[in-house]
Amino acid sequence: MPQSEPGFDELLAAARHSAVHLEMRDVYGVGDEADDFERWQRTGRRDTDPTSGYWAPWVRLVRETVARGVVVRRARVVSEPVTDYIRFEHAGTPVNLHAGEQVRWLPRRRASDLALPGNDCWVFDGSTVLFNHFSGDGNWSAPGWEVRTEPAVARLASAAFEAVWERGTPHERYAV
């Protein structure tokens, strides 16, 4: 990946109005979640302490972003019945909300007529898209992301997010 390509933190810091995240996988296998996920599978308990070492950096980042006036939203397209991983994500979502994110869930069967990008993505201010690249087992693949600024790509990703958001169910009303 070129050194000049900005990363997530840099793009979020530059956002002025909105940062939206479209998630479409039923399973993620990223390393920094492995211990928490395994513990949740064993015990049924999820770390939901916003001050924990796991959550505190994210909570701080989102709170600072929202305090600047940036609206942070996350939409998840999920298969039903949901996977264990989605149950795990759902159990941790109260921390996302506590940090200042808004979160909605859309059952995949209700997304069949939507044009969705091939990868999960973040869209910043409707003009910059950071596509996340994952391997088949849900871990990061190299390179882990791709930044695109072409207007047509930004419009596609923005429209996809908004379509999912419009149909999605707010977290507080979505049961897994």
Side-chain angles (χ1 to χ4, degrees), residues 20-24 73-77 106 110-111 113-121 123 129 131 152-168:
V20 300
H21 189 191
L22 181 58
E23 296 179 345
M24 299 177 290
R73 297 182 292 160
R74 180 184 304 256
R76 293 174 169 148
V77 178
L106 180 65
R110 294 190 53 224
D113 61 340
L114 301 179
L116 301 174
N119 295 291
D120 288 10
C121 61
V123 182
V129 183
F131 288 107
V153 173
R155 280 192 303 273
L156 168 71
S158 293
F161 178 86
E162 294 302 334
V164 170
W165 187 259
E166 177 76 22
R167 288 187 188 177

Side-chain angles (χ1 to χ4, degrees), residues 5-9 11 20-21 119-124 128-133 140 144-148 157:
E5 187 166 273
F8 174 78
D9 289 350
L11 292 169
V20 300
H21 189 191
N119 295 291
D120 288 10
C121 61
W122 279 89
V123 182
F124 304 95
T128 302
V129 183
L130 182 143
F131 288 107
N132 298 120
H133 294 293
W140 295 107
W145 71 87
E146 169 188 8
V147 176
R148 303 284 296 269

Side-chain angles (χ1 to χ4, degrees), residues 9 52 56 82 90 136 142 153:
D9 289 350
S52 73
V82 299
H90 190 272
V153 173

Side-chain angles (χ1 to χ4, degrees), residues 6-164:
F8 174 78
D9 289 350
E10 196 175 347
L11 292 169
L12 189 61
R16 297 290 169 241
H17 307 288
S18 66
V20 300
H21 189 191
L22 181 58
E23 296 179 345
M24 299 177 290
R25 296 182 56 92
D26 289 317
V27 175
Y28 293 86
V30 294
D32 63 340
E33 294 179 336
D35 290 342
D36 198 30
F37 182 52
E38 186 274 326
R39 184 174 35 259
W40 176 84
Q41 286 181 303
R42 262 188 307 102
T43 67
R45 282 179 261 127
R46 174 90 199 260
D47 174 5
T48 56
D49 176 2
T51 65
S52 73
Y54 179 81
W55 283 108
W58 182 252
V59 169
R60 185 173 33 260
L61 183 62
V62 171
R63 281 189 172 168
E64 290 170 357
T65 302
V66 170
R68 292 193 336 262
V70 177
V71 176
V72 180
R73 297 182 292 160
R74 180 184 304 256
R76 293 174 169 148
V77 178
V78 296
S79 299
E80 291 180 326
V82 299
T83 63
D84 281 348
Y85 185 86
I86 295 301
R87 280 183 175 67
F88 166 77
E89 272 194 332
H90 190 272
T93 299
V95 182
N96 297 89
L97 300 174
H98 174 81
E101 286 187 62
Q102 301 170 42
V103 180
R104 291 190 182 179
W105 303 80
L106 180 65
R108 193 171 307 283
R109 71 179 181 281
R110 294 190 53 224
S112 296
D113 61 340
L114 301 179
L116 301 174
N119 295 291
D120 288 10
C121 61
W122 279 89
V123 182
F124 304 95
D125 294 332
S127 61
T128 302
V129 183
L130 182 143
F131 288 107
N132 298 120
H133 294 293
F134 296 97
S135 62
D137 64 2
N139 210 336
W140 295 107
S141 64
W145 71 87
E146 169 188 8
V147 176
R148 303 284 296 269
T149 58
E150 302 93 326
V153 173
R155 280 192 303 273
L156 168 71
S158 293
F161 178 86
E162 294 302 334
V164 170

